[in-house]
Amino acid sequence: MKKNIHILLAATLLFGATSCEDFLQKDPPSSPSQSVFWQKKSDFESALAGTYSVMYSGVFSQIMPCLDGLTDNAIVQHSEGTYGWAKTIAQGDLTPNQGGFVTDIYGNCYKGIARVHILMEQLDQYTGSDISADEKKFMLAQCKALRGYFYSWLYQCYKEVPVVTQSLDLNTMYQPKATRAEVLNRVMTDYDEAISELPDKLYSDSQTSGRFTVSAVKALKARILLFDAYDSNGKAISSKMEEVLTLLQSIKGYSLAARVRDNFISEKQLASPEIMFSVRFLRPNLTHSMDLYYGAWAVLDPTRNMVDAFECTDGKPWGESPLTVRPDESILYGNDDALKKAERAKMFMNRDRRLYESVNHSMNFVDDGFKDEEVQVNESNNKGPTGFSALKYVQPTDVTPGYSTVSDADIVVLRYAHVLLMIAEAENEAHGATTTALNAINEVRTRSGQPAIEAGISQDDLRERIRNEWRIETCFEGLRYFQLKRWKLMDKRVNGVEDPAYPGYIKVYKPAFEFFPIPQSEIDKAGGVLKQDPAYE
């Protein structure tokens, strides 16, 4: 069996009553009532699992890669709420009534926060002897890590949101927005308390498998600190970079897997020394449709600009390296599929192997760079408008038609490679191109066979190398959107961008789009208590 996950139906039914649009808890007739549910230790374990189950929804799970459709990395070719309405949002249609990511992130975060509060309050009241003090402490620490995680999403995606720290009733169910400083303080407080109270175990440990660990929370806290470590002009704030470094350098026990792709193949994920936190899946009851979305339906299509970002094997940029094999551009976007595929294949010659591990160029059959593993992708349903599709999460298979309608690959939220790149970024911004910065980025590069960046490089040049390393190492992991936001580069890298293979689809980014609007449905229900972001009024 791939992994052991305890998700009890009773918890799902009980916690399923928590609407993403209503803070009230209303038990449906088929669920156990609050008064009879909290009777024993297993009830609380089920409730914790039910709280974690929010992560199986929307952007926390199978559509997380679609966030890259809001950036220069990819295009989401289908305009559907299933994929966050990423295609239309990227074209500038971002309104309080948009739905998709706008409502999904807001609603699921508060759903998770409401579940956290129920569990914390019931734990506080519980007097049974079957839960030890250490077990209660562990559950409460998990709750704090979860609440910090949900608020971190709200902090990065919305300008100001309500801060709720307890279950609400009829008199308190609608809350005004808090300031950004107050939201950030909630994130930091929850993360700090979780760090101090969680046992210092690896993610692979049986007790913490599928749960937050000290190292994971430290890395997630560092991610939020880094998000705020640049001023409005994109200039690094040295004191914040120092804080990031201090936190990250205390993380121990993790290392890189043999190759990036091992972190995304279901059968190899449990053995990965690199995965620090993920959303766990297990056949037959816990599955998702990523093979279908990103394989058969080619929902997420890498841009030509994304493909060009991968270096050649000599470490030089594609196009500048003498190893570059140029396609015939007149054929590349022509009408003959066979010729187009042959020309696209030239772009994959002598390239960083992460290109083969992340991007499918033929839409039909791809050797992903390793003879022992091939990935077949069905071409009959949809073709990517850019000529490429996202391969990273597609599982290897030799079955016909070449993809599965279900997958149980874990959704990777945090890897040790992310920690190394955060160290490289923060160190370079704080102290320049030091040995520490170079060692961190080079550990990531050499894992994929790329030559090390040598000493003597300037701080500015290393900054660009680190940012490109972030892009190619973490493509389609849902991070690029937040990276460009922290570097204040969304306007430069996204606004007005058009892919040569998809003329007419032009991305639009305005300063007002720095944060999502509050969903209009929440504004309407609050009766004036909750105010819209002025950028969308």
Side-chain angles (χ1 to χ4, degrees):
M1 181 161 293
K2 176 185 165 189
K3 54 187 81 92
N4 185 22
I5 304 176
H6 298 285
I7 301 288
L8 299 186
L9 187 57
T12 302
L13 288 172
L14 177 65
F15 279 78
T18 311
S19 168
C20 64
E21 296 182 348
D22 194 339
F23 291 115
L24 290 175
Q25 308 303 312
K26 302 174 183 177
D27 297 324
S30 60
S31 77
S33 71
Q34 294 275 12
S35 62
V36 301
F37 179 72
W38 310 96
Q39 301 296 317
K40 55 189 180 298
K41 175 181 175 180
S42 61
D43 293 339
F44 288 89
E45 291 174 334
S46 300
L48 180 59
T51 304
Y52 267 95
S53 71
V54 173
M55 292 193 181
Y56 295 112
S57 303
V59 76
F60 300 138
S61 183
Q62 60 190 346
I63 67 168
M64 188 181 291
C66 290
L67 280 172
D68 273 26
L70 303 182
T71 75
D72 52 351
N73 275 6
I75 292 169
V76 175
Q77 71 161 314
H78 303 306
S79 282
E80 297 176 21
T82 303
Y83 314 116
W85 287 112
K87 181 178 181 180
T88 52
I89 290 175
Q91 288 179 295
D93 189 7
L94 180 56
T95 72
N97 292 304
Q98 177 59 61
F101 286 138
V102 172
T103 54
D104 169 73
I105 297 171
Y106 191 94
N108 278 310
C109 282
Y110 280 112
K111 180 192 291 184
I113 291 166
R115 293 186 183 189
V116 163
H117 292 155
I118 295 172
L119 178 52
M120 293 179 75
E121 290 159 6
Q122 292 297 328
L123 271 171
D124 184 60
Q125 299 171 19
Y126 188 66
T127 58
S129 60
D130 58 338
I131 301 180
S132 69
D134 284 345
E135 289 170 333
K136 180 178 287 190
K137 181 180 178 181
F138 177 77
M139 289 186 189
L140 286 171
Q142 290 294 320
C143 287
K144 291 172 183 177
L146 279 162
R147 186 169 62 184
Y149 184 70
F150 293 132
Y151 272 120
S152 74
W153 274 88
L154 291 168
Y155 182 73
Q156 291 176 99
C157 293
Y158 305 89
K159 187 174 184 180
E160 296 174 334
V161 296
V163 171
V164 183
T165 57
Q166 61 186 11
S167 294
L168 303 178
D169 57 28
L170 281 171
N171 296 318
T172 62
M173 62 186 299
Y174 299 118
Q175 295 286 312
K177 293 187 297 186
T179 65
R180 284 191 61 74
E182 290 170 328
V183 180
L184 179 61
N185 182 64
R186 182 71 267 158
V187 175
M188 295 295 107
T189 299
D190 280 336
Y191 278 167
D192 285 341
E193 291 182 3
I195 290 168
S196 68
E197 295 167 8
L198 285 170
D200 193 5
K201 297 179 180 291
L202 295 177
Y203 187 56
S204 57
D205 185 274
S206 60
Q207 181 185 5
T208 51
S209 180
R211 298 290 182 255
F212 283 112
T213 65
V214 169
S215 291
V217 179
K218 285 181 177 179
L220 290 169
K221 179 184 175 182
R223 184 182 285 180
I224 294 300
L225 289 172
L226 198 58
F227 183 77
D228 268 349
Y230 294 86
D231 64 20
S232 59
N233 296 314
K235 182 177 176 57
I237 303 170
S238 294
S239 60
K240 294 188 176 182
M241 293 298 176
E242 295 285 8
E243 189 176 359
V244 170
L245 284 170
T246 300
L247 191 58
L248 293 175
Q249 288 167 348
S250 67
I251 293 174
K252 308 295 181 184
Y254 294 89
S255 59
L256 297 180
R259 58 185 182 134
V260 176
R261 186 143 164 77
D262 289 348
N263 296 296
F264 300 91
I265 297 174
S266 178
E267 287 74 14
K268 298 186 178 184
Q269 289 177 317
L270 275 187
S272 173
E274 183 174 348
I275 296 175
M276 299 177 67
F277 186 71
S278 61
V279 181
R280 289 287 179 85
F281 286 83
L282 176 65
R283 292 175 187 266
N285 297 322
L286 285 172
T287 61
H288 54 72
S289 300
M290 294 184 84
D291 277 347
L292 196 63
Y293 289 177
Y294 305 108
W297 294 347
V299 167
L300 188 68
D301 305 304
T303 61
R304 172 67 182 274
N305 181 269
M306 172 79 252
V307 173
D308 289 351
F310 289 86
E311 298 170 351
C312 288
T313 53
D314 60 2
K316 297 180 180 179
W318 187 87
E320 296 179 22
S321 167
L323 298 177
T324 298
V325 181
R326 296 184 180 278
D328 184 333
E329 297 284 347
S330 66
I331 296 176
L332 192 62
Y333 307 117
N335 296 319
D336 188 304
D337 281 352
L339 288 176
K340 283 193 293 183
K341 291 175 187 176
E343 292 306 307
R344 282 199 297 269
K346 292 179 181 179
M347 300 172 64
F348 284 62
M349 296 178 181
N350 307 323
R351 302 295 290 277
D352 183 329
R353 79 185 194 192
R354 286 172 291 187
L355 177 57
Y356 313 133
E357 296 179 5
S358 305
V359 178
N360 182 3
H361 69 82
S362 71
M363 297 299 299
N364 186 32
F365 188 82
V366 171
D367 175 345
D368 74 352
F370 299 88
K371 296 300 182 184
D372 62 337
E373 176 183 84
E374 294 178 326
V375 180
Q376 186 173 342
V377 182
N378 187 354
E379 188 180 12
S380 62
N381 290 345
N382 293 126
K383 298 179 181 179
T386 67
F388 308 103
S389 66
L391 177 63
K392 202 165 202 174
Y393 270 104
V394 178
Q395 299 304 296
T397 179
D398 57 2
V399 302
T400 301
Y403 65 90
S404 174
T405 56
V406 296
S407 171
D408 71 348
D410 299 338
I411 311 299
V412 179
V413 174
L414 184 65
R415 309 191 269 121
Y416 184 58
H418 301 170
V419 172
L420 290 171
L421 290 176
M422 284 193 284
I423 290 173
E425 180 176 342
E427 175 70 14
N428 185 59
E429 295 299 346
H431 306 120
T434 65
T435 299
T436 297
L438 290 171
N439 285 347
I441 188 174
N442 284 335
E443 188 172 346
V444 175
R445 289 175 59 80
T446 56
R447 184 258 296 270
S448 292
Q450 290 303 104
I453 298 172
E454 297 181 355
I457 187 172
S458 71
Q459 182 185 43
D460 289 344
D461 287 345
L462 184 57
R463 178 183 299 116
E464 294 308 310
R465 297 295 293 272
I466 290 169
R467 290 179 177 183
N468 195 63
E469 201 71 25
W470 266 120
R471 187 181 188 188
I472 60 180
E473 173 72 24
T474 68
C475 62
F476 321 134
E477 295 179 44
L479 298 180
R480 179 69 169 173
Y481 177 64
F482 302 110
Q483 291 161 5
L484 291 180
K485 284 181 68 172
R486 76 168 178 259
W487 298 328
K488 309 301 185 286
L489 291 176
M490 282 291 289
D491 182 68
K492 182 177 180 181
R493 300 290 178 86
V494 178
N495 191 44
V497 169
E498 181 180 28
D499 193 90
Y502 197 5
Y505 181 83
I506 301 174
K507 292 189 175 181
V508 176
Y509 179 80
K510 303 175 183 177
F513 295 168
E514 181 179 6
F515 297 102
F516 291 156
I518 302 294
Q520 188 62 41
S521 58
E522 297 296 326
I523 299 292
D524 294 342
K525 287 186 302 181
V529 175
L530 186 62
K531 303 294 185 181
Q532 184 57 267
D533 183 336
Y536 295 93
E537 289 180 342

